[in-house]
Amino acid sequence: MGPRRLPGSPRRSRESRQALLAVPLALIVIVTVGDILAPPEVHLGPFLAAAPAITATFAGPRTTACVGALAVLAQAVVATVRTSLTDLNHSLQLSALVLISVFVTLFALRRERHEQELTQLRSVAEAAQQVVLRPLPRRIGPLRIASAYLAAEAEAQIGGDLFAAARTSQGTRFIVGDVRGKGMEAIGDAALLLGAFRAAAHRQAGLPALVAHLEGTVSSDLDDPEAAEFGTTALSEGFITAAVLDIPDDSPVVHLINCGHPPPLLLHQGRITTLEVATPLPPLGLTEFADSSFTAETFPFEPGDTLLLYTDGVSEARDTAGTFYPLAERMRAAPRGEPQRLLRHLREDLLAHTPKRYLDDDAAMVAIEREASCRRDDGP
């Protein structure tokens, strides 16, 4: 499972807008008939202005203009039936209705252009993100792998969630991370980190050396010469949380360095363990503010176990009551099976937990299972 959008399609959107169009049309009919049948001292014409105003909230400028013209025509019919078009009261109502219809049509035009710009920005960002975030293979060496990416629906704010895997001569290395910020800048930072990981993971002898290399790459990119001229630093403005893992082929363990990222979860014989490191490190890009050396910590990872790597878009997803998604509990209750099945369950369960199945932040997950019978495979 590679990057994937949340539910929703243009066809459904069009069908929904067509259904909503019945509201202003029904309003025009009801107000027109009611105004014609009302006593002379009662005037319902001003309510016709609501029809184009309502239409502008969900339809484009053409539809809004058509509904506005229909409302003006209805007002003219009322004026003709009740008195005449030259009657002062109806003339003022017609003039006001024309002005309101023009105004809301311009509003609909501006909103439509804004939506088109956001759609274009999101398309470009998604295309860039799919190039950066390559789907993981389903099998590397003795490991079975599944990955999933859920994009948030907030405007064009594509996030910087990332994951990757790299094969070494003795095992497989993984990284999962989250860039602070949104949009193309976050994707650029994610591309930088992933490129450094893919280039160095194969040749760096130890995990601490690899993470030190990643830290150097991120820190050098975050240095801002312009900010330095004003006596400020860009390092406090941007950083990347990341968990970097090394899983040997021949040892039932996993080595982990966690730089400010949510801790992985380990499923072992139906029990969930949070892989909390004893010495947490700050995110990449901030380590120069903390005199910390990179030291890998080791945890059991036996055949049949499953590791879940994830970003805070998963663990911090809230329901309507503001309750965080109980990831560990839901992982424990998930049906047993291959990693693909686990992530399908968690993805659907996560969307069901959030209001209207929308996420406020992008979310990424990687499930890794060590097979009971190890089979050597060089992978990517």
Side-chain angles (χ1 to χ4, degrees):
M1 286 179 285
R4 182 168 178 155
R5 294 292 304 142
L6 292 180
S9 67
R11 182 177 179 181
R12 283 186 186 176
S13 179
R14 287 194 297 269
E15 292 175 351
S16 175
R17 292 183 180 185
Q18 290 174 358
L20 288 173
L21 188 58
V23 175
L25 294 179
L27 179 62
I28 291 175
V29 173
I30 293 172
V31 172
T32 302
V33 174
D35 206 2
I36 293 175
L37 299 178
E41 65 276 9
V42 177
H43 299 280
L44 302 178
F47 289 102
L48 288 172
I54 293 173
T55 307
T57 62
F58 64 84
R62 291 184 180 180
T63 304
T64 302
C66 289
V67 171
L70 186 60
V72 171
L73 178 61
Q75 181 63 58
V77 171
V78 171
T80 302
V81 172
R82 297 193 61 169
T83 55
S84 69
L85 289 174
T86 58
D87 177 79
L88 179 61
N89 180 49
H90 288 112
S91 296
L92 291 176
Q93 290 186 37
L94 279 169
S95 299
L97 186 55
V98 169
L99 290 175
I100 291 174
S101 297
V102 171
F103 176 79
V104 297
T105 298
L106 293 176
F107 168 80
L109 177 62
R110 181 177 178 83
R111 179 183 55 77
E112 184 178 66
R113 288 179 177 176
H114 182 62
E115 289 178 350
Q116 290 173 349
E117 291 174 357
L118 289 179
T119 300
Q120 185 177 11
L121 285 173
R122 176 172 284 277
S123 298
V124 172
E126 285 181 342
Q129 194 167 44
Q130 289 179 15
V131 171
V132 171
L133 201 62
R134 305 172 191 169
L136 299 181
R138 293 196 173 191
R139 184 186 297 273
I140 303 179
L143 307 176
R144 293 198 298 176
I145 305 166
S147 59
Y149 189 96
L150 293 176
E153 285 291 336
E155 296 184 342
Q157 296 298 296
I158 302 296
D161 292 12
L162 59 96
F163 52 75
R167 190 75 171 132
T168 69
S169 59
Q170 298 179 340
T172 308
R173 288 174 171 174
F174 293 87
I175 184 172
V176 59
D178 188 0
V179 179
R180 180 185 184 273
K182 299 285 185 180
M184 294 299 293
E185 183 178 355
I187 295 177
D189 292 340
L192 176 75
L193 180 60
L194 289 174
F197 173 80
R198 290 167 179 148
H202 302 279
R203 56 184 174 82
Q204 294 293 346
L207 200 60
L210 171 61
V211 177
H213 173 75
L214 299 179
E215 162 61 27
T217 301
V218 173
S219 295
S220 62
D221 181 70
L222 290 177
D223 285 331
D224 188 351
E226 294 183 1
E229 294 179 3
F230 296 95
T232 60
T233 177
L235 290 177
S236 61
E237 298 296 330
F239 54 83
I240 305 176
T241 67
V244 186
L245 302 89
D246 191 354
I247 303 178
D249 287 345
D250 302 326
S251 301
V253 296
V254 55
H255 307 296
L256 168 66
I257 296 179
N258 194 329
C259 299
H261 198 75
L265 298 178
L266 174 67
L267 176 62
H268 172 72
Q269 296 181 354
R271 297 190 303 273
I272 300 293
T273 302
T274 303
L275 302 190
E276 294 276 6
V277 295
T279 308
L281 296 172
L284 298 175
L286 297 180
T287 52
E288 80 167 42
F289 297 111
D291 298 329
S292 302
S293 60
F294 298 106
T295 303
E297 299 187 29
T298 303
F299 300 89
F301 185 40
E302 300 178 4
D305 291 355
T306 299
L307 269 174
L308 181 67
L309 316 179
Y310 58 95
T311 60
D312 59 9
V314 179
S315 56
E316 296 181 2
R318 298 173 183 263
D319 61 11
T320 53
T323 304
F324 289 120
Y325 180 67
L327 179 58
E329 175 184 331
R330 301 299 173 82
M331 182 181 176
R332 184 186 303 110
R336 299 291 183 266
E338 61 180 11
Q340 296 284 342
R341 184 181 181 187
L342 171 64
L343 287 199
R344 279 196 299 268
H345 172 83
L346 290 178
R347 184 182 66 237
E348 290 302 316
D349 190 59
L350 175 64
L351 293 177
H353 178 82
T354 57
K356 298 182 180 179
R357 297 176 65 84
Y358 289 161
L359 299 176
D360 293 329
D361 191 10
D362 289 8
M365 293 182 286
V366 178
I368 308 166
E369 179 189 18
R370 185 188 288 275
E371 291 184 311
S373 57
C374 297
R375 181 176 67 87
R376 181 72 182 179
D377 184 2
D378 290 338

